[in-house]
Amino acid sequence: MIEVNDLSKDFKVYHHRKGFFGSFVNLFSRKHRIVQAVDKVSFTVARGEIVGYLGPNGAGKSTTIKMLTGILVPSSGSVTVNGYIPHRQRKENAKHIGVVFGQRSHLWFDLPVQESFELLQRIYRIPEAEYRQNVEVFEELLNLGDFFRTPVRQLSLGQRMRADIAAALLHNPDVLFLDEPTIGLDVVAKARIRQFIQRINTERQVTVVLTTHDLDDVEKLCKRVILIDNARLRFDGELTALRRLLSTERLLSVDYAEAYPDVSIPNADIVYQEGARVQYRFSPEEISAADLIGTILKKFRIVDVSIQEPDIEDLIKTVYEDNLTLERKLAEPLSPDI
Amino acid sequence: MKSLYLTFHVYLAFARKSFQKQMQYRVANLAGLTTNFFFLLVQVFVYIAFYKASTEPQPLSIDDIITYFVLCQASLMLMPLWGGREIADTIKNGSVALQLTKPVDFQTYWFVDECGRAYYYLFMRGLPTFLISNLFFTVTIPQQPSVLLAFAVSMVLAIFMSAAITITIFSTAFWTLDTTGISGIAASVITFFSGMLVPIALWPEWLAHIAGWLPFGGLIDIPFSIYLGKLAGIEIWIAIGKQTAWCLFFMGFGRVLLSRGFSRLVIQGG
Ligand SMILES: Nc1ncnc2c1ncn2[C@@H]1O[C@H](COP(=O)(O)OP(=O)(O)OP(=O)(O)O)[C@@H](O)[C@H]1O
Ligand SMILES: [Mg+2]
């Protein structure tokens, strides 16, 4: 569905001189520096996938999305979406994709939502029956009814975002690009949008590429994540694989039947102990969770156990901050199921 | 053929929406109407005083002058640069890039948007201004259907030209982030050379000659000269041909500027 090969984008940033004389000099001088926004990124996305495209501020996420949607011409490398080259076959590509930039609205500021939708129906030449059906479904799933006849400039951020997402899907696109679709929204609004995206993906097989800084979005929606940092691809794989790759340590909480005096277990450190409740830290590379629990069961009677996965937020933070570690890890051969 | 019809349909819808958009600012329009009328009074009284003081025969009668300025005020909002801020704004704030994700042609889109706006002001500002003026002044109305027809054609061309000029000027926002300078200069040049301040018929010959080589007479001077019956027969055809040529020129020029602007946008990211 999407193929990206060695995709790069660099921007020339011109040095601006201030003042009257400066602006005169600006006309002639071409002094600039180059900002590498995306550097040789490659990945493919299959039909029906939801991929989280993640990275810190300035990593190059939006720049990549812009190249995938035909808004920017790559400096080098290739992109195809649906078999189209977005920047060359802009209009053709546009008919088959839906785009939402959370920071900006695609709707007509002065027009009620409904009329924006009607214009889109015309633009994309959506047959009347299909249009009606979509509007009905989206109206219900996203609760557009309350503000369907309100001019877009009067909408709250959450309402606007819902309207924008529905607008991007009216023409039944094959691929949906979402650049920070939950930015600035409250918990309820976020949940509703996630549910909606999930549903559209399963029911219509819409491929979704999503950038976000909200890792709950990722956890709820994306099986697969692509991490970029500083313009480079850092990880591409399943979220669970990322977890396994990075989480050298896990926590095991145990509620014992009684407060045993000595609860130490080989290969596991006690993080804290409070009466009958004990928390261990262990590394799956040294001892598997099953073995650890087995060992405990042989020695003591327990009431309850639970294993805590590290937060993906922490995981991703490790990737960004501790990039040497990940580089080393990625260099090691990954097991086939990753 | 069907595809052409569908395309036409899309852009017709844009024009209609543009009309509706303006409908939301009815109060502003009412205020504008009052201002128009006030300016009309000032202009007319100045010219009446001037005509009373002058003894030489003038190329336009005082009734012609009154009618001319009634028409000017009625069509003020159809002139270039009254609309089109949206174009400059979307270019400046970068949201113009989002339009690239839709299968539309920008120039056509903006063009019909401007036409929809002009259409609104024709009926909601121009017509009332014209009708109210009739209560206070003697405004001449052409009696020959052929003159009325030629005027209608010429007026439509004036609106098209105005839209094309507006788009061309505001598309410079791709290069200069501040369009107030260039649009200010353009507005003064256009106001003067279109004949909006002083009818070109009253200008000294050398200046009128310069105006003849410029496009802006096509906005005011040509349609209103036709209306007043100052052009006849072949002259009308030549005038309309001139308007058409300038119209095509600005559309073409605007297209080149826009496509340059967009290719800069997609390469440099704005
Ligand atoms: N038009 C441009 N001209 C110059 N530099 C640009 C341009 N657009 C982006 N950049 C630079 O490219 C880099 C990547 O920007 P991009 O917007 O893709 O980041 P991002 O990953 O979307 O970040 P965020 O999470 O903050 O949205 C940044 O260093 C940014 O300053
Ligand atoms: Mg971004």
Side-chain angles (χ1 to χ4, degrees):
Chain A
M1 185 57 51
I2 300 175
E3 280 187 43
V4 172
N5 253 315
D6 281 339
L7 186 65
S8 300
K9 179 78 200 173
D10 36 51
F11 292 109
K12 277 187 189 148
V13 180
Y14 289 95
H15 179 73
H16 280 279
R17 290 176 185 77
K18 289 226 166 68
F20 177 75
F21 184 70
S23 61
F24 190 70
V25 177
N26 279 339
L27 282 178
F28 301 100
S29 107
R30 308 261 78 191
K31 212 181 234 176
H32 63 263
R33 67 198 163 82
I34 302 241
V35 175
Q36 272 273 328
V38 174
D39 189 8
K40 294 215 164 103
V41 167
S42 306
F43 57 87
T44 60
V45 180
R47 172 179 284 277
E49 267 192 291
I50 301 188
V51 177
Y53 196 67
L54 313 178
N57 289 132
K61 303 180 297 294
S62 298
T63 306
T64 312
I65 300 277
K66 284 177 185 165
M67 288 191 278
L68 290 168
T69 51
I71 295 177
L72 278 176
V73 178
S75 305
S76 67
S78 68
V79 206
T80 56
V81 175
N82 253 322
Y84 297 111
I85 301 170
H87 54 277
R88 291 228 189 97
Q89 294 151 295
R90 178 180 79 80
K91 284 197 198 171
E92 273 315 304
N93 184 47
K95 287 179 194 161
H96 302 279
I97 63 170
V99 188
V100 176
F101 285 96
Q103 317 258 26
R104 291 204 165 115
S105 181
H106 289 241
L107 301 168
W108 284 266
F109 199 62
D110 282 313
L111 294 180
V113 178
Q114 183 176 24
E115 308 207 337
S116 278
F117 281 17
E118 282 167 9
L119 277 183
L120 290 170
Q121 183 194 0
R122 294 267 161 71
I123 293 176
Y124 291 103
R125 297 177 187 176
I126 309 166
E128 187 62 28
E130 192 178 318
Y131 172 76
R132 269 174 201 283
Q133 198 204 344
N134 273 347
V135 170
E136 205 172 294
V137 172
F138 299 163
E139 215 175 338
E140 165 156 5
L141 289 181
L142 289 169
N143 249 352
L144 303 180
D146 310 338
F147 52 88
F148 204 46
R149 279 171 196 83
T150 314
V152 172
R153 71 182 131 83
Q154 294 171 7
L155 298 185
S156 78
L157 183 62
Q159 293 172 331
R160 202 219 78 206
M161 204 76 90
R162 278 183 271 159
D164 251 310
I165 293 176
L169 286 162
L170 281 175
H171 57 294
N172 289 331
D174 299 313
V175 193
L176 179 62
F177 294 99
L178 301 167
D179 194 358
E180 306 196 37
T182 55
I183 188 165
L185 301 192
D186 69 42
V187 193
V188 182
K190 276 183 188 172
R192 173 171 276 149
I193 284 179
R194 280 176 204 145
Q195 259 172 22
F196 180 72
I197 295 169
Q198 185 65 263
R199 202 150 152 184
I200 290 296
N201 170 258
T202 37
E203 283 175 10
R204 306 185 176 198
Q205 287 295 299
V206 177
T207 311
V208 180
V209 177
L210 166 90
T211 84
T212 180
H213 290 291
D214 185 326
L215 295 165
D216 273 350
D217 288 348
V218 180
E219 199 132 29
K220 299 262 160 53
L221 287 172
C222 312
K223 232 175 109 190
R224 175 178 166 203
V225 293
I226 295 175
L227 291 189
I228 57 164
D229 184 19
N230 244 320
R232 297 231 176 97
L233 190 90
R234 306 299 304 279
F235 175 83
D236 177 1
E238 297 202 345
L239 194 55
T240 48
L242 179 68
R243 266 218 173 93
R244 220 174 313 153
L245 200 62
L246 286 168
S247 54
T248 45
E249 291 182 334
R250 285 184 207 191
L251 297 175
L252 178 79
S253 299
V254 185
D255 284 333
Y256 287 112
E258 56 187 276
Y260 297 108
D262 179 16
V263 289
S264 62
I265 302 287
N267 290 329
D269 305 329
I270 294 171
V271 182
Y272 82 84
Q273 184 173 12
E274 202 186 295
R277 165 167 292 193
V278 182
Q279 193 174 48
Y280 298 97
R281 182 170 39 217
F282 69 102
S283 162
E285 283 169 17
E286 288 170 15
I287 182 168
S288 74
D291 288 347
L292 182 62
I293 295 172
T295 318
I296 290 172
L297 279 174
K298 264 183 235 154
K299 287 192 174 171
F300 313 107
R301 278 195 310 123
I302 64 173
V303 178
D304 195 16
V305 287
S306 67
I307 298 176
Q308 277 109 51
E309 294 275 348
D311 223 21
I312 54 167
E313 189 140 4
D314 291 335
L315 288 186
I316 289 177
K317 213 153 60 198
T318 338
V319 178
Y320 300 158
E321 282 168 2
D322 196 10
N323 60 49
L324 272 177
T325 330
L326 185 73
E327 215 107 75
R328 202 189 65 226
K329 287 200 161 133
L330 282 178
E332 289 164 8
L334 302 179
S335 47
D337 63 342
I338 299 175
Chain B
M1 213 42 223
K2 176 139 189 278
S3 147
L4 197 69
Y5 168 76
L6 283 174
T7 307
F8 177 72
H9 223 65
V10 175
Y11 292 107
L12 194 67
F14 282 140
R16 262 207 308 271
K17 295 293 166 185
S18 167
F19 187 97
Q20 263 166 297
K21 209 158 62 184
Q22 301 297 332
M23 285 290 272
Q24 298 183 19
Y25 306 105
R26 266 166 296 199
V27 179
N29 188 37
L30 212 59
L33 195 63
T34 321
T35 318
N36 274 169
F37 197 69
F38 174 73
F39 272 102
L40 179 63
L41 286 181
V42 172
Q43 282 174 320
V44 168
F45 289 135
V46 167
Y47 275 91
I48 288 177
F50 168 72
Y51 268 63
K52 283 225 176 99
S54 124
T55 47
E56 283 169 45
Q58 296 291 341
L60 294 176
S61 72
I62 191 71
D63 281 351
D64 285 344
I65 287 281
I66 291 170
T67 306
Y68 185 89
F69 282 116
V70 167
L71 293 173
C72 278
Q73 283 303 325
S75 59
L76 179 70
M77 296 303 284
L78 312 181
M79 289 300 105
L81 305 169
W82 280 99
R85 303 274 143 183
E86 223 179 300
I87 299 172
D89 288 346
T90 51
I91 294 174
K92 270 184 262 181
N93 69 25
S95 56
V96 70
L98 298 191
Q99 297 213 22
L100 287 164
T101 67
K102 298 204 181 83
V104 288
D105 179 82
F106 325 98
Q107 197 193 19
T108 318
Y109 168 66
W110 281 328
F111 186 78
V112 296
D113 196 69
E114 283 304 302
C115 289
R117 203 190 64 85
Y119 185 61
Y120 173 85
Y121 280 109
L122 194 62
F123 284 95
M124 300 304 190
R125 180 77 73 83
L127 205 60
T129 305
F130 186 82
L131 293 177
I132 295 171
S133 306
N134 262 283
L135 302 177
F136 294 86
F137 309 111
T138 33
V139 181
T140 47
I141 293 172
Q143 298 305 318
Q144 287 164 278
S146 62
V147 171
L148 276 174
L149 184 71
F151 168 68
V153 170
S154 175
M155 205 56 217
V156 169
L157 285 169
I159 289 172
F160 284 176
M161 191 162 120
S162 168
I165 291 175
T166 303
I167 294 170
T168 307
I169 287 173
F170 282 123
S171 63
T172 57
F174 277 114
W175 295 271
T176 63
L177 283 181
D178 188 19
T179 48
T180 43
I182 186 161
S183 62
I185 293 169
S188 329
V189 170
I190 290 168
T191 310
F192 186 72
F193 281 101
S194 61
M196 183 142 231
L197 288 178
V198 181
I200 294 178
L202 304 182
W203 290 12
E205 204 169 318
W206 62 272
L207 197 57
H209 194 71
I210 294 175
W213 285 103
L214 293 175
F216 309 112
L219 297 165
I220 296 272
D221 183 62
I222 292 179
F224 300 164
S225 296
I226 293 176
Y227 184 97
L228 291 173
K230 300 295 165 196
L231 299 179
I234 190 81
E235 282 171 342
I236 294 183
W237 288 108
I238 292 172
I240 285 180
K242 217 158 100 179
Q243 272 184 305
T244 313
W246 279 119
C247 215
L248 292 175
F249 168 81
F250 280 112
M251 285 182 191
F253 187 49
R255 205 163 188 90
V256 172
L257 272 191
L258 278 181
S259 78
R260 287 263 173 116
F262 274 106
S263 69
R264 184 187 144 100
L265 181 77
V266 297
I267 289 164
Q268 296 193 6

